[in-house]
Amino acid sequence: PEGRVTAWNEAATDTFGWRREEAIGRSVFDLLVPQGVVPRYRLAFERLRDEGLDRMAGGRLEAQTQHRDGRLFPSEVSLGVNRFHGQVRMHAFLHDISARKAVERELLESRTRLRLLADNMPALIAYVDGNRIYQFNNQAYQDWFGVPVAQIVGQPLDGFMDGAVLAAQPEPLQRVQAGEMVSFDSRLSTRRGEIRVHTNFIPDTAMSRPPYGFYILAQDVTEQYQLQQRLQHEASHDALTGLPNRRAFLQRLVEALARVRRQGSGLALMFLDLDGFKLYNDTYGHDFGDAVLRHFARTVQSAVRETDSVARLAGDEFTVILEGLAHPAAHAALVARKLLAELAVPVMLGGRELTLAASIGVAVTGGDSGGVALSAESLLSRADAAMYQAKAAGKAQFVVS
């Protein structure tokens, strides 16, 4: 009851450094308790002895203890009480839990580091269990959607903000919960507006069973997507006029001819060459020539339907693909007359008034023109030859082949 040691085993010697003969009869506070906390521990002991000894029996607590050499370490203490002929004895089972505490500290530090890393990653990171319930979310969820992370954990995946996206992607969910890693692209509505997102689902095959839980890693790839779109546009469009270039034109022509063969409709290909363009360049300079080409491109686009395709091949050579025609020759003639009339209207460019003219060659296939649908190369060659015929006929003309 006074806190003096009456029994001391070999494990106590190994743990605290005091031999049995040194420990017997001495106060436990002198042997085991760091001097800085002796008063507080002694007070707690006395209160326990006087008020709650039986209540504490069988319980466990953690205490800071001291080795004979002054080294401090944590111990776990299990208390018990013996009563015999009116005498009370407390017995304590103590063991050094330094290793356990070190592991706990390492786990805590590791968890803190992982949380810090996850919260500062420019991506959504989450863990979803096999029942599709969120178990972990990083700070990006709050940054993107304005919902505190604490409110997301425990919520069903398909009931949250990206549920609509995932509902439209049932296959990735099924595949990842079957144990397959899945990637897909989607659009996502966030506080910053709609963004493009690349998402990876990674199955947790090591820690769970089918249907597997899985990790979510979703990255905002809007800038990369926009850059890719811009590069693709630049690769397939003319920088001066914004029209499709020769490469894009040939691809569109091949696709249009495939539709002609499949649907039986007619198609007309117009090949346009701006008359007198070299004179504009030589007389007024290339900047003026560029302004003429841009005006010519706008005029051609305004003369055809939105479903028709206008392209700039090179220099002052342009093409138009007219699709879905029952009478391709007649329709192309109407468009050519309309275009020549619009070009003949005087316009002010660079402080100068001028009227433009073009030589137009037309090649047709399908529809009422009969015959087998031509190849892209054959059709382009015929339209080019017809354009030279129109130019030889006095320019500002069109010829249908």
Side-chain angles (χ1 to χ4, degrees):
E2 303 304 320
R4 289 190 298 272
V5 175
T6 61
W8 186 268
N9 68 355
E10 292 183 6
T13 298
D14 294 338
T15 301
F16 298 102
W18 298 100
R19 298 190 302 276
R20 181 177 183 279
E21 59 270 20
E22 294 175 318
I24 296 298
R26 293 185 61 180
S27 170
V28 70
F29 300 103
D30 295 336
L31 295 173
L32 311 181
V33 179
Q35 292 305 304
V37 295
V38 166
R40 179 161 57 88
Y41 275 38
R42 188 183 293 276
L43 180 62
F45 174 78
E46 292 173 353
R47 183 175 301 168
L48 177 65
R49 179 193 61 193
D50 297 338
E51 300 175 6
L53 198 58
D54 291 324
R55 180 170 52 84
M56 286 299 298
R60 293 185 179 186
L61 56 89
E62 291 183 5
Q64 184 78 335
T65 50
Q66 180 173 283
H67 192 272
R68 181 176 183 174
D69 61 11
R71 173 169 44 90
L72 303 182
F73 59 93
S75 292
E76 184 179 77
V77 184
S78 301
L79 300 176
V81 178
N82 290 327
R83 287 184 172 83
F84 184 73
H85 295 304
Q87 293 184 345
V88 178
R89 291 289 184 273
M90 179 183 295
H91 56 260
F93 295 95
L94 299 92
H95 66 274
D96 182 352
I97 58 172
S98 298
R100 189 181 80 190
K101 285 296 182 181
V103 171
E104 290 176 356
R105 184 168 57 253
E106 183 179 350
L107 288 174
L108 179 60
E109 291 173 354
S110 177
R111 185 178 301 173
T112 301
R113 285 194 297 268
L114 289 174
R115 167 60 73 176
L116 183 64
L117 288 171
D119 283 345
N120 286 277
M121 287 284 287
L124 293 184
I125 300 175
Y127 179 75
V128 179
D129 66 19
N131 295 317
R132 300 186 183 179
I133 303 296
Y134 280 115
Q135 300 298 333
F136 172 86
N137 303 81
N138 71 337
Q139 183 64 32
Y141 272 81
Q142 183 166 338
D143 298 339
W144 287 22
F145 305 107
V147 180
V149 172
Q151 294 182 16
I152 303 173
V153 174
Q155 296 296 316
L157 181 68
D158 57 2
F160 197 53
M161 76 290 290
D162 49 0
V165 173
L166 295 171
Q169 301 278 353
E171 183 186 356
L173 284 174
Q174 296 167 2
R175 288 166 57 192
V176 71
Q177 293 205 280
E180 179 183 352
M181 182 173 173
V182 184
S183 299
F184 62 92
D185 295 312
S186 61
R187 293 185 177 92
L188 201 59
S189 296
T190 71
R191 298 169 70 185
R192 296 173 289 174
E194 185 176 83
I195 62 175
R196 295 271 179 166
V197 177
H198 179 74
T199 301
N200 290 297
F201 286 169
I202 305 164
D204 181 18
T205 54
M207 301 298 292
S208 60
R209 297 179 179 179
Y212 292 110
F214 57 95
Y215 298 92
I216 297 176
L217 176 63
Q219 297 173 282
D220 180 357
V221 294
T222 306
E223 290 186 5
Q224 296 93 314
Y225 173 80
Q226 292 172 343
L227 175 60
Q228 182 182 26
Q229 293 296 108
R230 185 165 67 251
L231 292 175
Q232 289 178 348
H233 184 273
E234 291 173 355
S236 60
H237 286 74
D238 171 52
L240 178 64
T241 63
L243 294 175
N245 58 18
R246 185 182 188 90
R247 175 185 176 186
F249 156 72
L250 290 174
Q251 179 63 34
R252 293 186 181 190
L253 182 58
V254 169
E255 294 170 354
L257 288 173
R259 287 189 286 272
V260 168
R261 287 187 287 270
R262 186 169 60 251
Q263 300 171 2
S265 58
L267 178 148
L269 173 63
M270 303 177 69
F271 196 110
L272 302 88
D273 184 87
L274 187 59
D275 295 333
F277 176 69
K278 186 176 185 301
L279 179 63
Y280 296 133
N281 257 348
D282 294 344
T283 305
Y284 303 115
H286 291 287
D287 289 344
F288 184 79
D290 288 347
V292 171
L293 289 174
R294 285 192 290 266
H295 171 70
F296 183 68
R298 290 193 297 269
T299 304
V300 174
Q301 282 186 299
S302 67
V304 300
R305 304 167 299 178
E306 290 185 1
T307 54
D308 298 325
S309 181
V310 182
R312 181 189 179 196
L313 293 194
D316 60 341
E317 295 180 341
F318 292 75
T319 58
V320 181
I321 301 172
L322 307 173
E323 281 193 76
L325 309 176
H327 312 289
H331 186 90
L334 288 174
V335 173
R337 292 190 187 95
K338 177 183 178 182
L339 177 57
L340 292 174
E342 291 185 6
L343 288 173
V345 177
V347 63
M348 291 295 296
L349 285 177
R352 296 177 176 84
E353 183 180 88
L354 74 158
T355 57
L356 301 179
S359 298
I360 304 173
V362 180
V364 298
T365 186
D368 64 358
S369 63
V372 179
L374 300 175
S375 67
E377 294 80 6
S378 299
L379 197 67
L380 182 59
S381 178
R382 283 178 53 180
D384 186 28
M387 183 274 294
Y388 278 106
Q389 293 176 30
K391 195 173 285 291
K395 303 180 181 180
Q397 305 285 330
F398 71 90
V399 171
V400 179
S401 172

